[in-house]
């Protein structure tokens, strides 16, 4: 049975998707009119957990806060600084962040950098947050930006990644000296859950095809189980076309002809790789938003997760991805007017082409780009 909750849609898998994802496809004239004029000031504000993270994360969050303040967005941030490389990590601080996220149910975060050195704990803070909140579905909508030309224009595809198991299970050990075993965990339950999420998403967004990405020719049992689970779920959605593709071929096809794809669903590591590859097709890590969902919580972040540490303090990071993620967060909160206001302002600045950061071939600073977005909020 299909259930509906206030402000969100719950699919067959019991997973909360972004609110209004069906209704926004067919707005009536009266609804359009309400979106064009600002609503009455909200009686109360929405509390949202903010975790700036490492690298340029704090600078990007400053851009979000400035845009929200200028746009009179009814959101209040509870800010927590959590880092594994800046001596701002502790069990107490991690628990504070988790408590805030559980209370607010919505968060916006930057990349928490994971050091490569092993210091007794295999699971990073990023992974622990995902597991504690069961943020199993990562969604990255790769969409070309009008006015910014790349090799492939007018791209519109969605990457859905299972991000609580697979190669990121943090199960490693040295069985004998010089031999390390790293376990990749694939379960039927979580494979079916992410597959249902992908097909529900495709159904609600009016998309026509879901492609499962795998390496079952080599990992016959592990990826074989994931592929079998996707095929079983696909039978429940006869109106959605289902295909599967091997991960290495998928990478080549994305570079050669990305238009053949619509929604892609895949295990953890493949999703991480494809997120970054696809982001590169439309402008890079600075322009693609992302979000992660559990049945109860939603966390909004950039689509390609990079701390961009070499840019810290240089005022050159592109705020586009974080601002678009913030706009998606507002849509999730049913603040449709404010969401459109922010996203349209960002897209307008990029389309005009006068103010662009270095990653898009321009000379503007992060602050100049943010000011341009603010000046376009009421345009």
């Amino acid at each position: 049975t299909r259930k509906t909750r206030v402000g969100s849609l719950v699919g067959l898998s019991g997973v909360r998707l972004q609110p209004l994802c069906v209704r926004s496809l067919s707005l009536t004239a009266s609804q359009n009119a309400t979106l064009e004029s600002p609503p009455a000031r909200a009686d109360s504000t929405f509390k949202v957990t903010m975790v700036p993270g490492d690298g340029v994360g704090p600078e990007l969050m400053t851009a979000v806060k400035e845009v929200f303040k200028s746009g009179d967005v009814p959101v209040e941030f509870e800010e927590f600084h959590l880092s594994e490389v800046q001596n701002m990590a502790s069990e107490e601080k991690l628990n504070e962040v988790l408590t805030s996220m559980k209370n607010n149910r919505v968060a916006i975060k930057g990349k928490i950098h994971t050091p490569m050195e092993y210091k007794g704990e295999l699971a990073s803070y990023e992974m622990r947050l995902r597991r504690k909140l069961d943020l199993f579905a990562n969604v990255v909508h790769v969409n070309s930006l009008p006015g910014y030309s790349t090799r492939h224009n007018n791209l519109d595809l969605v990457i859905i990644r299972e991000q609580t198991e697979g190669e990121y299970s943090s199960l490693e050990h040295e069985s004998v000296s010089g031999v390390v075993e790293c376990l990749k965990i694939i379960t039927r339950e979580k494979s079916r859950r992410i597959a249902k999420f992908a097909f529900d998403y495709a159904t609600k967004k009016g998309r026509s095809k879901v492609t499962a990405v795998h390496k079952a020719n080599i990992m016959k049992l592990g990826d074989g189980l994931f592929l079998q689970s996707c095929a079983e779920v696909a039978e429940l959605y006869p109106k959605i076309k289902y295909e599967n593709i091997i991960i290495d071929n998928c990478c080549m096809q994305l570079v050669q002809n990305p238009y053949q794809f619509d929604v892609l669903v895949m295990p953890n590591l493949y999703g991480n790789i494809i997120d970054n590859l696809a982001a590169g097709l439309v402008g890079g890590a600075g322009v693609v938003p992302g979000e992660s969902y559990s049945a109860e919580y939603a966390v909004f972040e950039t689509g390609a997760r990079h701390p961009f540490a070499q840019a810290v303090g240089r005022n050159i990071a592109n705020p586009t991805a974080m601002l678009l993620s913030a706009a998606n967060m507002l849509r999730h909160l049913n603040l449709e007017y404010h969401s459109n206001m922010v996203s349209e302002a960002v897209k307008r600045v990029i389309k005009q082409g006068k103010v662009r950061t270095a990653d898009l071939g321009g000379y503007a600073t992060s602050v100049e780009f943010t000011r341009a977005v603010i000046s376009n909020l009421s345009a």
Side-chain angles (χ1 to χ4, degrees):
T1 58
R2 194 180 295 273
K3 303 179 290 180
T4 305
R5 293 180 187 168
V6 176
S8 67
L9 291 171
V10 178
L12 296 175
S13 52
V15 175
R16 177 180 298 184
L17 297 182
Q18 280 181 270
L20 299 180
C21 58
V22 170
R23 287 184 296 175
S24 60
L25 297 175
S26 56
L27 292 173
T28 64
S30 62
Q31 285 173 313
N32 271 319
T34 62
L35 295 182
E36 290 165 6
S37 57
R41 176 67 181 171
D43 294 331
S44 61
T45 57
F46 291 89
K47 278 195 173 183
V48 170
T49 304
M50 174 181 278
V51 183
D54 293 309
V56 295
E59 297 171 46
L60 300 179
M61 291 305 181
T62 297
V64 170
K65 287 185 283 188
E66 288 178 359
V67 169
F68 276 28
K69 183 178 179 181
S70 299
D72 203 24
V73 177
V75 166
E76 177 187 336
F77 291 114
E78 288 184 359
E79 193 167 336
F80 296 88
H81 291 275
L82 185 67
S83 170
E84 292 190 63
V85 293
Q86 299 180 52
N87 296 321
M88 287 188 279
S90 66
E91 288 299 316
E92 184 182 358
K93 184 150 283 189
L94 181 64
N95 289 331
E96 285 178 5
V97 173
L98 284 167
T99 300
S100 175
M101 286 181 167
K102 287 177 180 177
N103 288 338
N104 298 330
R105 296 179 178 269
V106 177
I108 184 168
K109 64 178 283 295
K111 168 66 177 171
I112 302 172
H113 181 62
T114 304
M116 282 186 275
E117 299 82 16
Y118 173 59
K119 297 180 179 178
E121 176 61 63
L122 289 170
S124 67
Y125 273 35
E126 284 270 12
M127 280 306 305
R128 291 170 73 184
L129 279 174
R130 288 178 211 162
R131 288 182 192 154
K132 294 277 188 182
L133 299 174
D134 195 27
L135 294 166
F136 69 91
N138 177 241
V139 181
V140 175
H141 185 186
V142 180
N143 210 355
S144 295
L145 293 167
Y148 180 69
S149 294
T150 57
R151 182 179 295 273
H152 301 290
N153 295 309
N154 302 313
L155 275 185
D156 181 8
L157 57 95
V158 177
I159 299 153
I160 295 177
R161 164 192 179 193
E162 203 295 322
Q163 60 174 11
T164 59
E165 58 174 16
E167 299 84 356
Y168 291 55
S169 300
S170 305
L171 296 172
E172 296 181 84
H173 62 274
E174 190 172 29
S175 50
V176 296
S177 181
V179 179
V180 172
E181 294 183 56
C182 178
L183 304 182
K184 168 177 175 172
I185 308 299
I186 298 287
T187 62
R188 183 181 301 278
E189 178 188 356
K190 292 189 175 182
S191 297
R192 287 180 64 90
R193 180 170 68 167
I194 196 66
K196 284 184 178 182
F197 183 97
F199 278 95
D200 279 345
Y201 184 98
T203 301
K204 288 165 185 170
K205 293 290 187 179
R207 291 180 173 268
S208 59
K209 183 169 75 170
V210 172
T211 304
V213 182
H214 65 94
K215 191 66 177 173
N217 57 324
I218 301 298
M219 286 167 272
K220 293 179 170 59
L221 298 181
D223 279 22
L225 177 58
F226 177 81
L227 194 58
Q228 179 188 0
S229 300
C230 289
E232 289 170 358
V233 171
E235 293 178 2
L236 304 173
Y237 298 81
K239 293 183 180 179
I240 304 288
K241 186 178 180 183
Y242 170 69
E243 294 179 350
N244 70 76
I245 187 171
I246 295 174
I247 176 64
D248 38 358
N249 186 29
C250 179
C251 292
M252 182 181 70
Q253 295 296 331
L254 274 169
V255 172
Q256 286 189 324
N257 178 26
Y259 304 102
Q260 64 186 290
F261 298 111
D262 193 353
V263 174
L264 298 103
V265 60
M266 60 202 76
N268 213 331
L269 178 61
Y270 310 154
N272 193 1
I273 294 167
I274 297 296
D275 282 346
N276 285 267
L277 190 158
L281 296 177
V282 295
V287 299
V288 179
E291 54 234 41
S292 296
Y293 294 104
S294 73
E296 298 296 329
Y297 312 113
V299 176
F300 295 82
E301 54 201 336
T302 56
R305 299 162 180 160
H306 295 281
F308 200 15
Q310 63 269 35
V312 173
R314 294 171 59 194
N315 197 18
I316 61 173
N318 189 345
T320 298
M322 194 62 80
L323 288 172
L324 291 177
S325 295
N328 290 340
M329 179 190 76
L330 295 177
R331 186 168 292 112
H332 180 80
L333 293 170
N334 279 342
L335 295 171
E336 195 76 15
Y337 167 78
H338 296 93
S339 171
N340 289 338
M341 176 180 68
V342 172
S343 61
E344 290 305 315
V346 172
K347 291 172 184 176
R348 201 176 290 123
V349 170
I350 290 174
K351 189 172 185 178
Q352 290 165 354
K354 296 176 183 177
V355 183
R356 283 183 180 170
T357 47
D359 59 320
L360 297 184
Y363 301 95
T365 64
S366 309
V367 171
E368 288 168 344
F369 185 90
T370 304
R371 286 178 186 155
V373 171
I374 290 171
S375 67
N376 275 272
L377 286 175
S378 54

